[in-house]
Amino acid sequence: MEKDLRCNAFFSDNERYADIINGIGCDGMPFVRGKDLQELDTRVSVRGMTRYKSGKRDRSRKPLYRDLVRKTPFGINFAIVGIENQEEIDYSMPLRIMCYDAGEYERQASIIRKQVRKAADGLSSGEYLYGFRKDSRLFPTVTFVLYYGEEDWNGAKDIHGILNFGDIPECLRDKISNYQVHVIEVRKLKDTSVFKTDVRQVFDFIRFSKDKKKLKELIETDASYQFLDEDACDMVTAYVGDEKMFKWKEKHKKGGKVNMCQGLREWIEDEREEGREEGREEGSERMSKLIILLSEQSRNEDLLKAAQDAEYRKVLFKELNI
């Protein structure tokens, strides 16, 4: 739940939302401006749809909620763009997203029905009956799934991927409509230069969070990390999974900005010191075992003295399986 809140807070900023639309949906072309986006109700009413939260099945008939959705202008037209933040693989994702998008189309259609029936003059019987004119049109709808998990996405990315086509003839299969799902694996992104806001810095940090060397190079070559917004830092914390890395957040925060560069340096140094301490403890423990074994196996003081030599000690460790 906390990760959902941090994600939603981060992408509630319309400049970042527009950055996702431009970077992912429009191949980096700046078609959309954040100030032009309109927030929409995230409630989705789809009969029979079940949602799981925190591993629990929700059997209630309460409305379901998408993570985020915006009405996005393109010239004189609009598209509806949703964002779903995902950490675990949902193998029913194609069905879930299809229902979300279908629910959005149904929301638009219900508005059209009311408008059509208010102006009933000139309608054909079918138009009046179904509340939809021949020239009525819905706004295109798309949902981007931002997946932050470490495991490669191995779930289906279209509705055909979760259908059982066993013994179904090819001629019929070709006539069964498919529905594509756009899953963006954040940790596997190869090029983040399409993003123009701190979405890039957040995604890059998550991408390289398991490689301290690359992470250090990233921080040292991108000055933006010296002045990262606090909610961007919170977003990174949510998905990197190492709270120790950000225990300096308050220390290096000023005016709503966090100096990630200094914090990372301190984190890396602490990691090194912990490693050295563990090494010293391990070495001391192994040396104690060695002395005890040699003492038990031999009273030869020369052998015990020889064990003080580092190179000879390595040989003894190996031979005695310590």
Side-chain angles (χ1 to χ4, degrees):
M1 180 62 71
E2 183 180 355
K3 290 182 179 180
D4 289 340
L5 293 175
R6 290 187 182 186
C7 269
N8 290 350
F10 181 72
F11 284 114
S12 289
D13 179 280
N14 279 344
E15 292 301 325
R16 292 167 180 154
Y17 208 109
D19 206 13
I20 290 292
I21 297 172
N22 290 328
I24 294 174
C26 302
D27 299 326
M29 299 295 291
F31 281 104
V32 179
R33 298 180 301 177
K35 67 179 183 179
D36 296 328
L37 300 185
Q38 300 176 35
E39 185 173 356
L40 294 180
D41 192 344
T42 58
R43 289 179 297 179
V44 181
S45 179
V46 183
R47 289 184 184 177
M49 185 176 173
T50 302
R51 184 164 190 178
Y52 292 82
K53 273 294 183 182
S54 302
K56 296 180 181 179
R57 185 176 180 179
D58 182 5
R59 296 176 179 271
S60 67
R61 291 186 173 273
K62 296 178 182 178
L64 301 172
Y65 288 87
R66 311 184 65 166
D67 284 343
L68 298 154
V69 62
R70 296 288 188 273
K71 186 176 182 181
T72 308
F74 290 91
I76 61 173
N77 197 10
F78 292 90
I80 309 301
V81 182
I83 290 178
E84 287 296 309
N85 294 294
Q86 195 73 17
E87 184 183 17
E88 302 292 339
I89 298 174
D90 179 357
Y91 292 106
S92 67
M93 185 62 78
L95 176 61
R96 177 174 147 195
I97 298 302
M98 184 176 72
C99 288
Y100 284 166
D101 292 349
E104 169 56 33
Y105 284 130
E106 178 57 34
R107 184 190 68 81
Q108 295 179 39
S110 66
I111 295 173
I112 291 174
R113 291 188 191 103
K114 291 178 182 178
Q115 295 172 342
V116 167
R117 286 170 178 154
K118 279 183 180 179
D121 293 342
L123 297 180
S124 67
S125 58
E127 288 175 324
Y128 181 79
L129 179 63
Y130 298 109
F132 209 85
R133 291 179 179 272
K134 181 180 179 180
D135 59 356
S136 294
R137 294 293 181 269
L138 305 174
F139 296 128
T141 298
V142 64
T143 300
F144 298 122
V145 179
L146 302 179
Y147 172 63
Y148 304 94
E150 294 181 33
E151 180 184 356
D152 289 349
W153 183 274
N154 58 8
K157 293 185 177 181
D158 56 42
I159 201 69
H160 275 197
I162 61 173
L163 299 184
N164 183 356
F165 281 112
D167 295 329
I168 304 298
E170 192 72 27
C171 54
L172 177 60
R173 175 175 176 169
D174 291 341
K175 295 175 177 64
I176 297 174
S177 297
N178 203 356
Y179 198 86
Q180 184 180 5
V181 175
H182 305 283
V183 178
I184 295 85
E185 298 186 60
V186 172
R187 293 178 188 268
K188 293 179 67 177
L189 284 172
K190 294 182 178 179
D191 181 17
T192 57
S193 64
V194 294
F195 303 115
K196 308 305 179 185
T197 67
D198 56 2
V199 167
R200 177 177 183 175
Q201 281 71 39
V202 167
F203 282 2
D204 279 344
F205 204 106
I206 294 173
R207 288 167 64 209
F208 299 127
S209 60
K210 298 301 180 181
D211 189 328
K212 295 184 181 66
K213 183 178 179 181
K214 286 186 177 180
L215 195 58
K216 187 172 182 292
E217 292 175 358
L218 174 69
I219 293 292
E220 291 179 345
T221 55
D222 188 344
S224 299
Y225 287 104
Q226 296 181 38
F227 311 99
L228 203 67
D229 282 346
E230 185 176 359
D231 58 348
C233 181
D234 290 340
M235 174 74 175
V236 170
T237 308
Y239 288 102
V240 168
D242 191 342
E243 291 289 343
K244 292 188 301 181
M245 188 185 299
F246 302 99
K247 67 181 182 181
W248 309 276
K249 175 184 166 183
E250 295 302 319
K251 178 180 176 182
H252 298 296
K253 183 177 71 173
K254 185 177 181 180
K257 303 286 185 178
V258 179
N259 188 335
M260 296 279 287
C261 301
Q262 187 59 34
L264 184 67
R265 292 190 192 101
E266 293 183 21
W267 172 70
I268 290 176
E269 185 55 39
D270 278 4
E271 288 281 297
R272 287 174 180 167
E273 183 57 36
E274 286 179 10
R276 286 193 288 266
E277 183 62 29
E278 289 174 1
R280 285 192 291 269
E281 291 177 359
E282 180 184 0
S284 177
E285 182 181 349
R286 293 175 75 192
M287 188 62 185
S288 298
K289 288 182 179 179
L290 177 61
I291 292 173
I292 292 171
L293 283 172
L294 291 178
S295 298
E296 292 174 349
Q297 295 176 18
S298 172
R299 295 295 179 180
N300 190 331
E301 292 185 5
D302 291 335
L303 187 60
L304 285 169
K305 289 179 180 179
Q308 304 300 319
D309 179 76
E311 293 302 317
Y312 185 58
R313 192 162 61 245
K314 290 180 183 178
V315 174
L316 290 175
F317 283 152
K318 184 175 182 181
E319 289 182 353
L320 297 173
N321 194 28
I322 298 176

